[in-house]
């Protein structure tokens, strides 16, 4: 396999119109991204694995339109949000290490964060990573120590002795467990190249199929461009430019899925529906989850609720497509666009807001930072 990460940074510096963009690098938009993803996740949790026919039979012709009980409560998050939080923690700890000790391998620090997530699920890793270093604040959040249908591939990969890498993938899985957790990568990336490459690397820790890790890289790049203030269609096109480079082996399947989502939106934008969503697949694999989420966000660019409800009402991986769509729309529109009734009942709202704030502020209080995010 060729080195997919060896791409020039200079192109990202010469994108048109950058100086005239209104940045979304604000606390309002960072918080909207993470809370939006969690809301979409919680809306989809009760109907994951259900067909659209079963969803309509249970909730009415419009499908599910509000939180319903899942895992013993309303507004429950799943492994999608759990792993997004640990991705964010890994990024913050990598930033801490870089600032205090020089450069570091960010994907390895994220890997360590995922092993801490594995511990919250009752799992144990056989890696050389010391199991007694369960430090930082996130591992101490009791509500995270609940199993919420964690992906089998994630669990198996993290229980192993080694970390999956793009040049040495350990699990040839196409599942969506990589793409659904990498929104924080795009929020803090310095440029589109780093967003794409680290998104791919973070996903490959557990999911080694190109269609899975390229979906994650493309999503992280889209999030980066949205933070810069670009529109969603332009962010997608710019990210496809990176994805479709000749050096990116086996990217065609992912690129085609994204192109199909764009084409479906252009033809059917006035009338989105679950039937339209299902033309893109079920969302169980990476490129389908990304395509569905892009279609739902494109079809509802000014309406958070409309977009996430479209994303969860289909016969497929409703919580993951809800989460990714929520990340996109929450970032685009800001936290104020998320209905307050959904935020009030959302599990771990305060902790999600805290992580979003730390991603945005980064080292305002260097004294407290070292204990919250030890740099290793």
């Amino acid at each position: 396999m060729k080195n997919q990460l060896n791409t020039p940074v200079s192109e990202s510096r010469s994108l048109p119109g950058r100086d005239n963009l209104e940045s979304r690098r604000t606390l309002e938009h960072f918080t909207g991204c993470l809370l939006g993803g969690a809301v979409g996740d919680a809306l989809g949790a009760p109907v994951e694995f259900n067909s659209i026919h079963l969803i309509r039979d249970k909730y009415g012709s419009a499908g599910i339109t509000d939180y319903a009980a899942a895992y013993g409560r309303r507004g429950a998050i799943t492994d999608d949000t759990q792993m997004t939080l640990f991705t964010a923690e890994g990024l913050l700890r990598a930033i801490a290490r870089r600032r205090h000790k020089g450069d570091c391998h960010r994907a390895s620090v994220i890997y360590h964060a995922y092993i801490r997530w594995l511990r919250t699920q009752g799992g144990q890793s056989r890696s050389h990573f010391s199991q007694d270093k369960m430090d930082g604040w996130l591992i101490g959040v009791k509500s995270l120590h609940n199993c919420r249908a964690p992906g089998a591939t994630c669990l198996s990969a993290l229980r192993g002795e080694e970390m999956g890498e793009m040049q040495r993938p350990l699990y040839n899985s196409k599942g969506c467990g990589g793409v659904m957790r990498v929104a924080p990568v795009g929020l803090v990336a310095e440029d589109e190249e780093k967003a794409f490459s680290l998104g791919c690397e973070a996903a490959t820790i557990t999911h080694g199929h190109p269609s899975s890790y390229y979906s994650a890289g493309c999503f992280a790049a889209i999030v980066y461009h949205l933070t810069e203030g670009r529109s969603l269609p332009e962010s997608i096109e710019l990210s496809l430019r990176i994805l479709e480079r000749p050096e990116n082996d086996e990217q065609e399947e992912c690129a085609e899925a994204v192109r199909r989502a764009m084409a479906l939106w252009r033809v059917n934008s006035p009338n989105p529906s679950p039937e339209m969503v299902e033309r893109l697949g079920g969302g169980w694999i990476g490129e389908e989850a990304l395509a569905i989420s892009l279609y739902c966000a494109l079809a509802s660019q000014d309406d958070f609720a409309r977009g996430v409800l479209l994303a969860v009402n289909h016969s497929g991986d409703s919580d993951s497509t809800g989460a990714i769509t929520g990340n996109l729309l929450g970032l685009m529109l800001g936290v104020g666009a998320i209905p307050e009734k959904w935020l009030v009942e959302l599990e771990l709202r305060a902790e999600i807001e805290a992580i979003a704030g730390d991603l945005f502020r980064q080292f305002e209080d260097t004294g407290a930072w070292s204990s919250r995010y030890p740099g290793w």
Side-chain angles (χ1 to χ4, degrees), residues 173-188:
S173 172
K174 291 181 68 176
C176 69
V179 63
M180 57 78 168
R181 66 189 190 222
V182 298
V185 172
L187 292 180
V188 301

Side-chain angles (χ1 to χ4, degrees), residues 314-335:
H314 64 94
S315 306
D317 196 350
S318 297
D319 60 331
S320 295
T321 53
I324 299 168
T325 304
N327 288 144
L328 293 168
L329 291 173
L331 173 58
M332 290 163 60
L333 303 174
V335 68

